[in-house]
């Protein structure tokens, strides 16, 4: 953030956390994509906007297509680091597909599937799948 826009009485915040709950309908990927773009533009991180918006859109689309519940997106922005996590309410673990060459397919740029029993629990204590 531009120092001229910062209030003089506030210290610089190193990490920013944002969350959004998206409904289980066809508008969710666009709403989440626009949310990520708005946060990154607000924090002057233009080079990250397109890759992060594309990855977010693909992950939320997968939630919409393959689960029946809503999606939750968490964005953590720190100095030199961006983490986008997408959670769903499905009790089923994420399915990882492999290509003919044996490489992991359809998970985007280094996204990793997570489960509620690996230290990540769904909203309000319910177990759910997550992808980072």
């Amino acid at each position: 953030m531009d120092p001229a826009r910062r209030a003089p009485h506030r210290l610089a915040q190193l990490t920013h956390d944002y969350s959004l709950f998206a409904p289980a309908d066809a508008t969710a990927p666009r709403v989440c994509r626009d949310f990520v773009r708005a946060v990154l533009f607000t924090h002057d991180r233009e080079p990250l906007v397109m890759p992060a918006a594309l990855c977010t859109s693909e992950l939320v689309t997968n939630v919409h297509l393959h689960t029946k519940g809503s999606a939750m997106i968490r964005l953590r922005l720190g100095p030199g680091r961006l983490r986008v996590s997408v959670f769903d309410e499905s009790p089923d673990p994420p399915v990882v597909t492999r290509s003919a060459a044996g490489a992991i397919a359809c998970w985007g740029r280094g996204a990793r599937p997570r489960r509620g029993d690996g230290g990540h629990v769904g909203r309000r204590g319910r177990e759910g799948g997550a992808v980072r």
Side-chain angles (χ1 to χ4, degrees):
M1 179 180 273
D2 182 20
R5 292 175 31 195
R6 187 176 303 131
H9 62 281
R10 290 194 175 180
L11 298 175
Q13 186 174 350
L14 296 179
T15 303
H16 300 274
D17 287 310
Y18 296 91
S19 298
L20 176 73
F21 292 92
D25 64 19
T27 63
R30 180 176 181 175
V31 169
C32 292
R33 181 177 61 240
D34 291 347
F35 171 74
V36 168
R37 291 181 65 197
V39 169
L40 293 175
F41 274 128
T42 300
H43 289 282
D44 298 324
R45 302 285 181 94
E46 285 87 4
L48 299 175
V49 170
M50 291 307 292
L54 175 63
C55 184
T56 300
S57 183
E58 289 180 7
L59 293 173
V60 175
T61 299
N62 284 343
V63 169
H64 175 67
L65 292 175
H66 302 294
T67 67
K68 292 181 175 36
S70 61
M72 192 275 261
I73 183 170
R74 181 175 182 213
L75 190 73
R76 176 171 272 189
L77 187 61
R81 184 172 190 156
L82 168 67
R83 174 175 279 175
V84 178
S85 302
V86 176
F87 301 88
D88 63 56
E89 295 180 331
S90 174
D92 301 324
V95 176
V96 178
T97 59
R98 296 197 180 269
S99 67
I104 295 177
C106 300
W107 285 110
R109 297 184 172 161
R112 301 183 311 263
R114 296 283 198 170
R115 279 289 295 154
D117 54 19
H120 301 281
V121 177
R123 285 190 285 159
R124 297 183 194 103
R126 294 184 301 219
E127 220 174 82
V131 176
R132 287 190 182 172

